[in-house]
């Protein structure tokens, strides 16, 4: 990895091209940004930050010019093409340009569009990963998204469409739900009941009794939790609970069942499940944890 240059822009040759860093800010809490991300903020000449980035995180870059380019569902937002152009222009004027994105840049963060534009313009770019909300959510409720013998797969899903100005679900298209054991929906608040109804109707890995955990503002002081099952979610029982101003995460799957229930079920069926896993070619030791 190329380390960020410690020299400020005014100390560099004016013809030296700058570098853009796509930095993951993490799920919300300021101290959950990576050490590398924090160091880059401290050296940045200019920072373009998302709407979900905590304002206190900008205290990590007091020397930098700070520009808001956030996108929020249903609200006036910066056009992606405009953001792309500003990043290219900034790299012509500054040595260290930080594009600060909520969560991880490579997950539902439009990083591909920015990377493509920067590379086509001949601008050097690097991605600095961050903690995505799903992992922070699992840590918050202290329940793994995977569980030996119960959940061997996880899917991260968004229903948002890549239309400029808004992030909407096309009402004429059915919701596509992967067949993973644990499902984590980003930006699914408006369609929570519909998601549950279709999962129940599909009847594959999920039933009305399948546990559901909804978290808002994960890892922050405003974090809230709603715990029930798919049947209750399908009936719209969470609709009035949601806060429209907070990002929500909907997690579905047996791995999210309360620890007491999970322990009882695991004890009653562990022999059969473990034998099946031991016979597989991947888990040759039979005791490897998910």
């Amino acid at each position: 990895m190329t380390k960020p240059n410690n020299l400020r822009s005014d100390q560099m040759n004016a013809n030296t091209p700058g570098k853009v860093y796509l930095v993951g800010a993490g799920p919300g809490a300021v101290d959950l940004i990576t050490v590398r991300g924090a160091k880059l903020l401290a050296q940045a000449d200019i920072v373009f930050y998302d709407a979900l980035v905590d304002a206190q995180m900008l205290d990590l870059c007091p020397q930098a010019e700070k520009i808001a380019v956030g996108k929020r569902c249903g609200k006036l937002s910066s056009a992606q093409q405009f953001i792309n152009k500003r990043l290219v222009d900034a790299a012509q004027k500054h040595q260290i340009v930080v594009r600060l994105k909520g969560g991880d840049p490579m997950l539902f963060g439009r990083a591909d569009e920015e990377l493509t534009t920067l590379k086509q313009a001949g601008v050097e770019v690097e991605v600095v990963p961050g903690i995505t909300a799903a992992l922070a959510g699992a840590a918050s409720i202290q329940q793994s998204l995977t569980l030996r013998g119960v959940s061997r797969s996880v899917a991260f899903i968004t229903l948002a469409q890549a239309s400029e100005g808004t992030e909407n679900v096309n009402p004429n298209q059915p919701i596509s739900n992967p067949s993973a054991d644990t499902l984590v929906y980003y930006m699914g608040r408006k369609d929570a009941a519909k998601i549950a109804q279709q999962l129940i109707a599909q009847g594959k890995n999920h039933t009305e009794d399948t546990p559901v955990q909804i978290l808002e503002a994960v890892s922050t002081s405003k974090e809230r939790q709603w715990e029930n099952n798919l049947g209750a979610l399908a009936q719209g029982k969470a609709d009035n609970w949601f806060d429209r101003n907070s990002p929500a995460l909907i997690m579905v799957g047996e791995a999210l069942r309360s620890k007491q229930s999970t322990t009882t079920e695991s004890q009653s069926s562990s022999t059969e499940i473990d034998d099946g896993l031991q016979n597989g070619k991947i888990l040759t030791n039979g005791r490897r944890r998910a």
Side-chain angles (χ1 to χ4, degrees):
M1 170 197 150
T2 302
K3 293 183 179 179
N5 199 310
N6 290 321
L7 297 178
R8 302 287 300 149
S9 297
D10 54 8
Q11 296 175 294
M12 300 293 292
N13 187 308
N15 295 323
T16 303
K19 182 173 180 178
V20 176
Y21 295 86
L22 306 188
V23 177
V30 176
D31 58 354
L32 284 181
I33 190 172
T34 64
V35 173
R36 184 183 299 177
K39 286 182 177 179
L40 283 166
L41 283 177
Q43 298 177 23
D45 299 302
I46 185 169
V47 176
F48 296 89
Y49 63 95
D50 276 350
L52 294 179
V53 171
D54 192 306
Q56 291 185 0
M57 189 167 291
L58 300 179
D59 292 340
L60 299 176
C61 53
Q63 79 294 337
E65 179 183 354
K66 292 170 274 288
I67 300 176
V69 291
K71 289 179 173 293
R72 292 299 302 274
C73 180
K75 296 183 179 181
L76 185 63
S77 304
S78 300
Q80 186 60 49
Q81 291 183 346
F82 181 61
I83 296 174
N84 297 347
K85 183 179 185 303
R86 296 199 72 173
L87 290 174
V88 173
D89 291 345
Q92 310 306 320
K93 302 175 183 178
H94 304 285
Q95 286 302 304
I96 301 178
V97 180
V98 169
R99 172 70 171 99
L100 191 60
K101 293 172 168 289
D104 182 274
M106 307 304 282
L107 189 64
F108 308 135
R110 299 199 181 196
D112 288 338
E113 298 167 62
E114 294 173 3
L115 286 167
T116 298
T117 300
L118 289 166
K119 290 178 180 178
Q120 289 177 346
V123 176
E124 187 178 4
V125 60
E126 180 180 320
V127 179
V128 179
I131 299 173
T132 189
L135 304 184
S140 178
I141 62 175
Q142 298 187 6
Q143 288 185 242
S144 175
L145 300 179
T146 59
L147 184 63
R148 184 171 57 181
V150 175
S151 174
R152 300 175 65 176
S153 58
V154 180
F156 296 162
I157 311 149
T158 180
L159 306 180
Q161 301 294 312
S163 56
E164 280 297 351
T166 59
E167 299 281 348
N168 295 315
V169 175
N170 186 339
N172 298 319
Q173 293 182 348
I175 294 173
S176 178
N177 296 299
S179 59
D181 298 320
T182 304
L183 305 177
V184 182
Y185 290 87
Y186 288 67
M187 298 169 279
R189 177 180 61 237
K190 292 170 56 179
D191 297 277
K194 185 177 179 181
I195 289 170
Q197 292 163 8
Q198 293 200 9
L199 284 173
I200 294 170
Q202 288 169 4
K204 294 182 180 179
N205 297 336
H206 307 95
T207 67
E208 290 189 0
D209 187 51
T210 299
V212 173
Q213 296 270 6
I214 302 177
L215 291 173
E216 283 189 342
V218 174
S219 81
T220 73
S221 60
K222 297 180 180 180
E223 180 178 310
R224 296 195 306 148
Q225 177 185 2
W226 186 90
E227 181 179 2
N228 212 304
N229 56 35
L230 269 182
L233 189 63
Q235 294 170 23
K237 292 186 177 180
D239 290 355
N240 294 327
W241 175 87
F242 285 109
D243 180 353
R244 294 182 58 187
N245 296 315
S246 293
L249 194 71
I250 303 172
M251 303 187 291
V252 181
E254 282 299 326
L256 302 169
R257 193 172 292 280
S258 65
K259 293 185 183 300
Q260 184 175 358
S261 299
T262 301
T263 301
T264 302
E265 293 173 4
S266 296
Q267 289 175 345
S268 64
S269 60
S270 60
T271 302
E272 179 181 353
I273 293 173
D274 286 348
D275 285 345
L277 292 178
Q278 288 175 13
N279 292 332
K281 294 182 179 180
I282 298 177
L283 301 179
T284 55
N285 294 330
R287 292 185 179 274
R288 195 174 302 170
R289 297 197 178 204

